[in-house]
C-alpha cells in the first residue's frame, strides 16, 4: 500500500468511527425491533410487551415486538445474533438462551461470546398444568395416571430448549416415564390446544397460565418455585409435593448483537433499568407471578448468569443422555 492509500484508508476508518459515535450519541432515532423468539400472546411475549411500554419514556421511541418462534427460541435468537449491531435489533429471551448450545449442534449463535448482554429482566416460575377435564386431581394422582397411561398422554411444549421442554423433561425424568411430546412455536398456541383438549399436559410459565388457572380453564398440579407463588396461594410447590430437587425458575434477559457500540448499549441498559422500575410494569409482573430482577439489570450480571448456566445445563443433559441434534 502506498503512503497516499494508507492515509486514505486511515482517514476513511476515522470518519466511519466518528459517524458511529455520532449515531450512538443520538440513539435511538426511530423505533427499536425487539425479537421475542416465541409466538405472540405467550409468556415471553407478555413480558416483552409490558417491558417495551415501560422502556418507552426513557428511550423516547417505541419498541416494536417481532415474534419469531421455532426450535425452542433458537431461530429468533440466531436472527438477532446476525442482525446489524446498531441497537435497533434486540432480543428478549430466557433460560433457553443457555441451554440451546448443548441441545443443538448448530444453535446459530455463540451464547458466551457472540452477543452484547444488556441485563437480566425477570424470573418466572413454571406451573404444571393439564386440560381442565384431565382425570388426575392432584400431583400424586398425576404420577399414578402418567405411569398407567404413558402411551396415550401427550405433553405439549414450545420446542427443544424452550422452558416448557426443560420443565417437561425434568418432570418425565422425575417420574421415569416417556410421553409423546407435541412441539409448538410457543406456549400461546400450545395452551390454546390444551384448552381445546387436543393435548393433555404441559409445563408453562405463570406469565401465561395465571389467568387460565384462576378462571378454571386449565387444571393445575404444582408450581416449580421454591416458595408458593403469592398470586396462586393454593397451588403447592413441587418440593412440597414430594419432589425434593424439583425447582426451576425461568430467568429472562435482554441482548443486542455483538459489536453494538458501547454508548448504545449504555442507553439500552439505562432504559431497561428505568423500565423495570416502572410502577405499571412492576404491578403487571406481580399479577403474573414474575419477580423483577432490578439488581441484576446490567450486562455483567447477565453475562455471569450465561457463563454459569451454559456448562451447568451441558453437564446435566450429558448426565441424562440428551444428545445435541
Ligand atoms: N416462553 C415460551 C413462550 O413464550 C415458551 C417456553 O419457553 O416454553 O412461548
Amino acid at each position: 500500500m502506498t503512503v497516499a492509500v494508507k492515509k486514505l484508508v486511515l482517514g476513511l476508518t476515522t470518519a466511519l468511527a466518528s459517524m458511529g459515535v455520532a449515531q450512538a450519541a443520538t440513539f435511538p432515532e426511530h423505533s427499536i425491533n425487539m425479537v421475542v423468539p416465541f409466538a405472540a400472546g405467550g409468556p415471553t411475549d407478555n413480558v416483552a410487551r409490558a417491558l417495551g411500554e415501560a422502556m418507552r419514556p426513557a428511550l423516547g421511541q417505541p419498541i416494536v415486538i417481532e415474534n419469531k418462534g421455532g426450535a425452542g427460541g433458537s431461530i429468533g435468537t440466531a436472527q438477532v445474533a446476525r442482525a446489524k449491531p446498531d441497537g435497533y435489533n434486540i432480543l428478549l429471551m430466557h433460560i433457553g438462551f443457555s441451554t440451546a448450545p448443548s441441545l443443538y449442534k448448530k444453535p446459530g449463535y455463540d451464547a458466551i461470546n457472540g452477543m452484547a448482554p444488556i441485563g437480566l429482566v425477570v424470573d418466572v416460575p413454571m406451573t404444571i398444568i393439564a386440560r381442565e377435564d384431565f382425570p388426575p386431581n392432584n400431583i400424586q394422582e398425576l404420577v399414578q395416571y402418567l405411569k398407567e397411561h404413558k402411551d396415550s398422554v401427550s405433553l405439549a411444549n414450545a420446542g427443544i430448549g424452550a422452558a416448557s421442554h426443560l420443565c417437561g423433561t425434568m418432570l418425565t425424568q422425575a417420574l421415569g416415564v416417556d410421553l409423546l411430546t407435541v412441539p409448538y412455536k410457543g406456549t400461546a398456541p400450545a395452551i390454546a390446544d390444551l384448552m381445546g383438549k387436543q393435548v393433555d399436559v404441559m409445563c408453562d410459565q405463570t406469565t401465561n397460565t395465571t389467568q387460565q388457572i384462576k378462571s378454571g380453564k386449565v387444571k393445575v398440579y404444582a408450581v416449580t418455585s421454591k416458595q408458593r407463588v403469592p398470586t396462586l396461594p393454593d397451588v403447592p410447590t413441587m418440593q412440597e409435593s414430594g419432589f425434593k430437587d424439583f425447582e426451576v425458575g425461568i430467568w429472562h434477559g435482554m441482548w443486542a448483537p455483538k459489536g453494538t457500540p458501547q454508548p448504545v448499549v449504555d442507553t439500552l441498559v439505562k432504559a431497561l433499568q428505568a423500565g423495570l422500575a416502572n410502577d405499571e410494569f412492576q404491578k403487571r409482573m406481580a399479577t403474573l407471578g414474575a419477580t423483577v430482577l432490578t439488581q441484576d439489570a446490567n450486562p455483567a450480571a447477565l453475562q455471569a448468569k450465561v457463563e454459569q448456566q451454559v456448562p451447568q445445563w451441558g453437564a446435566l443433559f450429558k448426565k441424562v443422555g440428551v444428545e445435541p441434534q
Side-chain angles (χ1 to χ4, degrees):
M1 223 189 282
T2 65
V3 176
V5 172
K6 267 189 194 158
K7 273 190 182 161
L8 184 68
V9 171
L10 192 68
L12 277 173
T13 314
T14 316
L16 281 174
S18 56
M19 260 167 67
V21 172
Q23 275 167 4
T26 53
F27 172 84
E29 291 179 299
H30 58 79
S31 63
I32 293 171
N33 192 52
M34 180 150 80
V35 171
V36 168
F38 297 104
T44 313
D45 187 67
N46 282 338
V47 173
R49 283 177 201 269
L51 183 60
E53 275 308 305
M55 287 172 67
R56 187 180 177 141
L59 290 168
Q61 295 289 346
I63 290 186
V64 177
I65 306 294
E66 180 187 350
N67 297 95
K68 183 86 189 183
S74 56
I75 291 176
T77 301
Q79 176 180 309
V80 177
R82 287 190 309 265
K84 195 171 170 196
D86 56 4
Y88 292 103
N89 298 286
I90 58 174
L91 169 76
L92 188 86
M93 179 44 172
H94 60 37
I95 195 167
F97 183 92
S98 63
T99 61
S102 320
L103 293 169
Y104 292 96
K105 284 187 190 138
K106 290 186 181 165
Y109 64 96
D110 176 347
I112 293 183
N113 297 308
M115 301 287 272
I118 305 297
L120 279 153
V121 177
V122 286
D123 196 59
V124 187
M126 300 212 76
T127 46
I128 295 169
I129 59 170
R131 60 182 159 81
E132 172 248 313
D133 60 347
F134 198 53
N137 285 317
N138 55 48
I139 193 99
Q140 283 71 30
E141 287 181 21
L142 177 71
V143 171
Q144 197 53 34
Y145 190 90
L146 292 185
K147 286 190 172 155
E148 285 164 8
H149 299 84
K150 59 180 185 315
D151 295 331
S152 58
V153 174
S154 53
L155 175 70
N157 68 32
I160 307 263
S164 44
H165 167 250
L166 301 177
C167 175
T169 306
M170 285 168 72
L171 182 70
T172 50
Q173 287 280 336
L175 304 187
V177 290
D178 248 345
L179 300 178
L180 167 76
T181 54
V182 186
Y184 291 82
K185 286 197 170 168
T187 47
I191 203 169
D193 272 6
L194 191 92
M195 289 190 291
K197 305 184 179 31
Q198 274 127 337
V199 284
D200 300 316
V201 186
M202 96 166 157
C203 270
D204 197 13
Q205 292 140 80
T206 54
T207 36
N208 197 35
T209 61
T210 302
Q211 267 145 19
Q212 279 82 351
I213 290 171
K214 281 180 183 284
S215 61
K217 288 188 186 145
V218 299
K219 200 173 254 190
V220 63
Y221 298 110
V223 291
T224 66
S225 42
K226 203 178 182 74
Q227 312 289 344
R228 288 190 182 203
V229 177
T231 41
L232 296 169
D234 302 331
V235 182
T237 66
M238 279 300 272
Q239 294 188 345
E240 279 175 70
S241 312
F243 295 83
K244 266 197 311 83
D245 302 321
F246 204 119
E247 188 198 333
V248 62
I250 308 304
W251 56 268
H252 291 57
M254 183 182 283
W255 290 263
K258 185 176 179 163
T260 303
Q262 192 56 43
V264 170
V265 169
D266 294 343
T267 301
L268 289 167
V269 173
K270 278 198 196 112
L272 171 63
Q273 292 170 349
L276 297 194
N278 175 285
D279 264 4
E280 280 309 303
F281 180 74
Q282 295 205 347
K283 274 189 213 143
R284 175 106 179 103
M285 290 304 108
T287 313
L288 297 178
T291 304
V292 179
L293 301 174
T294 315
Q295 299 299 322
D296 292 325
N298 59 71
L302 177 53
Q303 185 63 19
K305 185 76 163 178
V306 172
E307 287 182 17
Q308 176 248 330
Q309 296 249 308
V310 170
Q312 186 181 307
W313 283 105
L316 191 102
F317 292 132
K318 216 176 201 158
K319 197 170 145 206
V320 299
V322 177
E323 294 287 333
Q325 52 173 251

